Amino acid sequence: MKNLPILISSLTLLSLNAVGLSQVQAQTSGFTTLNIPISFSGSGCPPQATLGPPQGTLQAVINGDTLSITSSSALEAKASRPNVVSKSCNFRIGLNVPSGFNVQPISVNYLGFADVPKGGSADLDVKILFKGREVATTNNPNQTFRAGFSDVWSKDVGLVLNPINACRNPVSSVFGINSTLTANARNIPKGQETQIRIDTIDTTIGPVLFQIKFAFNPC
């Protein structure tokens, strides 16, 4: 079991540069609705995921004060005895803030479900990145679910990050979210299954896996 690299790879950066970081038009209340570049990699990404339309593919959509990763499929790891299954999906999102604005990333929201039989466990591991570096948070973005847990869960993770200061010049930014789900079924009863997933959130723009919230401050 290996964790995928935290830092943005040269290949990912080349991919984003080839597409071009999208120039979005900011307003005092937020961004104009627009699809922006996204790349993804990992063993746990939604089946047959591709970039852009049609339905069922992964997209990054910015709307008002929220940047969303949309997908019709959840991220999931399942394991039956005596296995341990780990699934990862890592996202990189390109964003240009035009000059004249000061944008503050505030939080990342996501939710899901875990079902852990006796003798099992499940782990949620999420890292939030900005320009290749892990972002400090005000609360834990991760969680371990012990034997007997069978319920929904949710995360509203506060970000400790300086504003994106584009008061004088445009600023190119890359956000990243690394997600790893691990289902441990080594010692659970036969015929049962450990499972954990990140579910989609129902929104006006469709089902969403992650939401990054922003505040807009005057220069």
Side-chain angles (χ1 to χ4, degrees), residues 74-88:
L75 307 181
E76 187 173 43
K78 292 182 177 181
S80 56
R81 181 175 175 173
N83 300 310
V84 177
V85 175
S86 184
K87 297 288 187 179
S88 297

Side-chain angles (χ1 to χ4, degrees), residues 1 5 17 21 27 45 55 62-63 77 90 104 112 157 160 181 189 193 219:
M1 179 173 62
N17 287 336
L21 292 172
Q27 304 169 344
C45 295
Q55 185 179 8
I62 197 151
N63 180 29
N90 299 340
Q104 175 70 62
V157 180
V160 182
L181 303 174
E193 188 175 58
C219 291

